[in-house]
């Protein structure tokens, strides 16, 4: 597989999962985009979830001007500094969907970042809340449901907060990968 093939597969998985989560996400609770980058996935999320509060965390905002979040929804700085005060202000367990796309080519650093972020995200997600991520996380109150989405192992990671009653079973949904993976 060429690097181009690999990039296309990863972006396809990312888009399919964002679409899948947008259909499944609870009607209440804000959304987090961790890592604005070019703004591509933020643009996709706001298109799929019109009217939804989407907070974006980015240390060096440089997205296309049309993909910049509105005032009050872009939290600039290292997310390890901005997230704790955000959580204090918003309160725990009020987030319905997190998308984390913050990886680098340094796998050791990626693992360390995921381990440090895990307790923060675990506390943010509401019951039934979803985390889509470009890497594995260690979330004590969440189940790894990647296999239920049909996304091939290791391509993207999906977690769901499990300590709830009566929310829809993810496995009843059409797999995210049905269209193109
Ligand atoms: N999903 C984006 C898109 O579709 O355009 C691409 C995101 S890019 C791969 C990762 C972004 O995460 C970079 O812009 C980087 O600056 C940001 N980032 C990584 N670690 C961060 C941290 N600790 N705090 C804030 N931003 C961070």
């Amino acid at each position: 597989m060429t690097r181009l093939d690999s990039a296309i597969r990863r972006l396809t998985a990312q888009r399919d999962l964002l679409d899948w989560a947008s259909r499944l996400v609870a009607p209440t609770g804000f959304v987090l985009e961790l890592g604005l980058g070019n703004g591509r996935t933020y643009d996709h999320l706001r298109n799929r979830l019109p009217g939804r509060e989407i907070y974006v965390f980015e240390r060096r905002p440089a997205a296309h001007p049309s993909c910049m979040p509105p005032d009050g929804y872009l939290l600039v700085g290292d997310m390890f500094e901005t997230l704790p005060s955000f959580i204090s202000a918003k309160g725990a367990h009020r987030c319905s969907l997190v998308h984390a796309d913050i990886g680098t080519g340094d796998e050791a650093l990626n693992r360390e970042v995921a381990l440090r972020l895990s307790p923060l995200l675990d506390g943010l997600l509401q019951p039934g809340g979803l985390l889509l991520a470009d890497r594995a996380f260690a979330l004590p109150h969440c189940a790894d449901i990647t296999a239920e989405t049909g996304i091939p192992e290791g391509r993207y990671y999906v977690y769901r907060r499990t300590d709830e009653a009566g929310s829809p079973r993810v496995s009843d949904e059409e797999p995210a990968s049905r269209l193109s993976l």
Side-chain angles (χ1 to χ4, degrees), residues 58-124:
E58 172 58 56
R59 62 178 155 212
R60 281 188 292 275
H64 187 275
S66 68
C67 296
M68 292 299 277
D71 285 351
Y73 289 87
L74 176 61
L75 291 100
V76 179
D78 187 321
M79 65 184 74
F80 289 105
E81 291 168 13
T82 53
L83 260 176
S85 50
F86 176 84
I87 296 169
S88 298
K90 286 284 181 187
H93 311 310
R94 293 196 42 223
C95 177
S96 54
L97 173 64
V98 179
H99 175 230
D101 181 19
I102 52 174
T104 67
D106 182 338
E107 278 312 309
L109 178 64
N110 290 342
R111 273 195 297 277
E112 184 198 319
V113 166
L115 278 178
R116 285 178 66 200
L117 263 185
S118 288
L120 296 172
L121 301 185
D122 199 65
L124 259 175

Side-chain angles (χ1 to χ4, degrees), residues 122-146:
D122 199 65
L124 259 175
L125 285 171
Q126 65 191 25
L130 296 168
L131 166 65
L132 314 180
D134 64 336
R135 67 206 50 267
F137 277 79
L139 304 159
H141 298 97
C142 296
D144 181 343
I145 59 164
T146 312

